[in-house]
């Protein structure tokens, strides 16, 4: 958009209020000045960047009413699922009012109750396409019982509770927390950080500030600079909270309210902090070309989420280890867990990680009972490919270079110098330039293909021994069941899969014995035994005969060698910053 076009386009400001927060509504006033058209179209995004699913936010919009400069009512007509047309009747200014129902707990959706309001911008703010690159202001009127606002938006000087975004991309990337959150601050990498703790909990602010500082500084060390002027963590504490969503200079995290004193849970939370903070560079700035500028009305497809999210998932625990927030043994166990998950996933032979990235919009966020049989996670598989690439570079350079150098080079080239996203081929070339050799086979086998990864060979180069138990001779029916012995998952190529059992079948008896504890009952048989399985399928009693197969799931153990060579030690030390 040219400067002259932007200057002549409508100017927009919003006012948010919460008159009856117990009803879960956000009141939105959108004031539009400088209109020169008879019909003005406004739109609401259908998805939130970082969460690759069309969520149809407009379904929560109610009571859209428009008035002209003299207060006269103007006609508003729906023109598409997320678009409205205002008949301006020549009015140069229009005030649009609407309500957004907000009662979905997640890091990507708005939520309002009597205690607080969380505003996830893509599901609240409408936009005018001609004004997309203009600055936009937001005034927040808290409920009278609330006293604090936490957001990455820039405060407007001398105006209480008013903020400005340089354009709608910034606005859509700036969540707002309004309430009585517990706020503390720390400075890391020369940047002031605000932490807004919502919902209470048994957290230790001093410990959190210390550990979060170390994580921020370790992540910053990889990219040699921190692009933030300030940064805001919004942490929602629930009984079983979790998940996170990255933004340009803020993030929203979910946490378990009363488990900060449990070391495993606390370490996992710090890993989440590291993951979302690593997105400051990887995704929010260094990004696949499809991920910005965004099309907010449609899916934005890329085959490179295994880099955008997968590499971030690789670095989250690595940064946490380098920051000494977890031990060597904890880190190696986390790696072993990921490898074990991946090699036991039937979908690893079905879907490539590039396809998983592309199909995130229809598969990853819409998983069902068969997903583990048919797909991979671009998070887990991508993180393991990050590990393999890191070890390849470390080995070939004899510990002089690593994946850190790839990330820094790509960040400097594509974000800082060329100010654009990268293509798949360009990122591959960047990897090859640091590695010093081609990666055609790697991409064919592991990125676009489903060949099993040879983890052991490269881990051996770093002085680690990977031990994989190749399964056992214990029998397994190959199902997961709930407390009522109703099947919730059938494992591909297992006994039940081949024998014809379905999800939602109720297991009643096996060889005439009532099913109480399924695992104990099955363990009373041997591999190869024939079973008559009695089930209730939609009210009809059926019997299935099947051969009992072995449990082929593998166990993984990753340990340091008792004695490392000089080069293995150098690689290990460079990798983990020992």
């Amino acid at each position: 958009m040219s400067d002259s076009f932007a200057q002549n386009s409508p100017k927009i400001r919003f006012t948010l209020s919460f008159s009856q927060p117990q009803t879960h509504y956000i009141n939105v006033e959108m004031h539009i000045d400088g209109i020169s058209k008879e019909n003005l179209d406004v739109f609401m995004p259908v998805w939130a960047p970082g969460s690759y699913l069309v969520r149809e936010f407009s379904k929560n919009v109610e009571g859209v009413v428009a008035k002209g400069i003299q207060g006269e009512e103007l006609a508003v007509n729906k023109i598409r699922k997320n678009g409205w047309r205002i008949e301006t009747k020549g009015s140069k200014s229009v005030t649009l009012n609407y309500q957004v129902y907000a009662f979905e707990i997640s890091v990507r959706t708005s939520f309002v109750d009597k205690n607080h309001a969380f505003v996830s911008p893509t599901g609240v703010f409408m936009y005018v396409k001609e004004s997309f690159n203009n600055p936009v202001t937001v005034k927040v009127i808290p409920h009278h019982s609330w006293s604090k606002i936490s957001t990455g938006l820039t405060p407007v000087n001398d105006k209480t509770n008013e903020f400005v975004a340089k354009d709608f991309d910034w606005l859509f990337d700036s969540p707002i927390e309004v309430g009585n959150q517990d706020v503390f601050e720390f400075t890391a990498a020369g940047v002031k950080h605000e932490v807004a703790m919502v919902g209470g909990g048994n957290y230790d602010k001093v410990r959190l500030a210390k550990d979060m500082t170390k994580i921020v500084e370790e992540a910053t060390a990889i990219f040699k600079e921190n692009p933030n002027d300030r940064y805001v963590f919004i942490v929602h504490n629930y009984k079983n909270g979790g998940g996170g969503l990255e933004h340009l200079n803020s993030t929203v995290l979910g946490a378990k309210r009363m488990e900060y004193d449990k070391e495993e849970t606390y370490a996992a939370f710090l890993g989440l902090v590291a993951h979302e903070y690593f997105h400051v560079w990887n995704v929010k700035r260094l990004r696949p070309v499809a991920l910005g500028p965004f099309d907010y009305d449609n899916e934005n497809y890329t085959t490179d989420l295994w880099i955008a999210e997968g590499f971030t998932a690789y670095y989250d625990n690595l940064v946490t280890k380098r920051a000494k927030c977890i031990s060597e043994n904890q880190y190696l166990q986390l790696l072993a867990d990921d490898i074990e998950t991946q090699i036991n996933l039937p979908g690893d032979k079905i879907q490539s990680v590039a396809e998983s990235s592309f199909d995130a919009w229809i598969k990853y966020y819409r998983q069902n009972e068969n997903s583990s049989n048919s797909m991979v996670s671009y998070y887990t598989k991508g993180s393991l490919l990050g590990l393999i690439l890191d070890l390849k570079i470390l080995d070939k350079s004899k510990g002089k270079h690593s994946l850190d150098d790839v990330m820094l080079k790509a960040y400097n080239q594509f974000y800082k110098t060329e100010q654009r996203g990268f293509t798949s081929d360009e990122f591959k070339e960047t990897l090859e330039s640091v590695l010093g050799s081609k990666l055609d086979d790697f991409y064919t086998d592991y990125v676009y293909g489903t060949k099993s990864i040879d983890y052991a060979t490269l881990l051996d180069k770093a002085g680690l021994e990977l031990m994989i138990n190749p399964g056992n001779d214990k029998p397994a029916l190959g199902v997961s069941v709930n407390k009522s012995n109703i099947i919730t998952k059938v494992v591909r190529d297992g006994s039940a899969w081949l024998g014809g059992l379905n999800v939602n079948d109720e297991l009643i008896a096996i060889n005439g014995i009532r099913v109480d504890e399924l695992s104990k009952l099955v363990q009373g048989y041997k591999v190869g035994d024939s079973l008559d399985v009695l089930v209730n399928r939609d009210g009809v009693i059926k019997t299935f005969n099947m051969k009992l197969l072995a449990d082929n799931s593998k166990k993984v153990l990753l340990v340091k060698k008792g004695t490392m060579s000089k080069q293995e030690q150098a690689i290990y030390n460079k990798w983990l910053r020992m």
Side-chain angles (χ1 to χ4, degrees), residues 94-111:
V94 167
T95 300
L96 189 69
N97 287 94
Y98 56 94
Q99 292 78 48
V100 176
Y101 183 71
F103 198 56
E104 181 180 350
I105 295 175
S106 83
V107 296
R108 64 193 69 86
T109 50
S110 297
F111 180 90

Side-chain angles (χ1 to χ4, degrees), residues 394-412:
L394 284 161
D395 176 50
K396 187 163 186 184
S397 68
K398 296 181 170 57
K400 293 180 181 178
H401 301 294
S402 71
L403 190 61
D404 293 9
D405 298 292
V406 175
M407 303 307 290
L408 177 61
K409 183 174 183 179
Y411 174 76
N412 286 335

Side-chain angles (χ1 to χ4, degrees), residues 195-219:
V195 183
M197 303 295 284
V198 183
N202 62 349
Y203 51 86
D204 180 335
K205 288 187 281 189
V206 174
R207 185 185 185 191
L208 274 173
K210 179 181 177 182
D211 289 338
M212 293 170 78
T213 295
K214 291 189 292 185
I215 287 170
V216 167
E217 292 183 343
E218 281 295 336

Side-chain angles (χ1 to χ4, degrees), residues 330-400:
Q330 284 176 300
Y331 178 68
L332 296 180
Q333 184 60 56
L334 289 168
L335 273 186
D337 291 345
D338 281 348
I339 294 171
E340 183 173 296
T341 296
Q342 199 62 37
I343 65 176
N344 285 317
L345 187 71
D348 193 43
K349 296 296 184 185
I350 305 299
Q351 185 186 52
S352 73
V353 73
E355 183 184 356
S356 174
S357 299
F358 194 85
D359 278 348
W361 300 91
I362 59 173
K363 291 190 176 182
Y364 185 78
Y365 288 96
R366 287 177 172 159
Q367 294 188 35
N368 60 26
E369 68 282 350
N370 193 51
S371 292
S372 62
N373 290 321
S374 61
M375 61 172 282
V376 297
S377 163
Y378 49 80
Y379 284 90
T380 306
K381 185 69 173 284
S383 72
L384 291 170
L385 292 184
L387 166 68
I388 295 304
L389 288 165
D390 202 2
L391 294 176
K392 275 181 175 289
I393 297 167
L394 284 161
D395 176 50
K396 187 163 186 184
S397 68
K398 296 181 170 57
K400 293 180 181 178

